[in-house]
Amino acid sequence: MTGSPWIRIPPRPADGHKGTFGSVVVVGGCVSPRRMLGGPALSAAAAMRAGCGLCELAMPAPLLDAALTIVPVATGVPLAVDGEGVIDPTAAAISLAEAAERATVVAIGPGLGRSPAAEAVVETTLATARSLGRPLVVDADALNAIAERPPQSPWPTSPPTIVTPHPGEFRRLATALGLEADPVSPDLRSAAARDLARRLGAVVVLKG
């Protein structure tokens, strides 16, 4: 329909199946100090709504079953945690590498929490995904982790990386990377996003 406001997904082959349309792994969730599972669960639901064939939720093991009740069409990858419920980066790296191997796209960050363990998970997952040639979507607490351990040079542009900061996350990233830009002022938003995109070597979706 000409002028239709609805987003139209391209026609799919009649003999297509769930393995035909790509797969997404969403890495996120946090047990402590706050329990956060909605972000990764809703991200998985959005990936399915957008048309991926399969979605895996990679989350701290104590939260995974609850998240899968929110999005039962997804499957789960339990990530090992320590006695306080914090993800064990070393143990989780194996599960995350296997999930990235199966995936077409890796998304990381929703509800991941802020901790040295989260920073290690983000750093390892980004490196693994790039080594496998998997495009990345980096959001929420993964952006905060990058601000704590900023890259010294732009990321490789292949495979592509998309970062999706809101203004607060943008400021943290910009400060860590030595950029001076105002992401709130309407006449400076485009320039701010371009500067961050050049510095990171990424596509920047600046929210707000």
Side-chain angles (χ1 to χ4, degrees), residues 39-192:
L42 292 173
S43 297
M48 297 299 297
R49 182 70 178 269
C52 78
L54 295 160
C55 187
E56 287 190 290
L57 270 170
M59 297 180 62
L63 297 180
L64 185 56
D65 286 350
L68 289 174
T69 65
I70 299 172
V71 54
V73 293
T75 58
V77 178
L79 302 181
V81 298
D82 64 18
E84 297 183 355
V86 177
I87 294 175
D88 180 333
T90 302
I94 299 171
S95 298
L96 290 170
E98 292 172 349
E101 182 83 44
R102 294 188 293 270
T104 309
V105 175
V106 176
I108 184 168
L112 191 61
R114 300 180 69 175
S115 68
E119 292 166 18
V121 167
V122 170
E123 192 169 48
T124 300
T125 302
L126 266 58
T128 299
R130 291 195 178 105
S131 71
L132 293 169
R134 304 296 188 260
L136 284 152
V137 179
V138 186
D139 183 42
D141 284 323
L143 298 174
N144 294 323
I146 291 167
E148 294 294 331
R149 302 186 185 189
Q152 299 304 304
S153 58
W155 294 322
T157 55
S158 180
T161 301
I162 300 172
V163 300
T164 59
H166 61 50
E169 292 159 351
F170 179 95
R171 289 190 192 94
R172 285 188 282 274
L173 278 170
T175 299
L177 295 167
L179 301 176
E180 295 184 5
D182 180 356
V184 175
S185 176
D187 57 339
L188 295 177
R189 285 176 56 82
S190 294

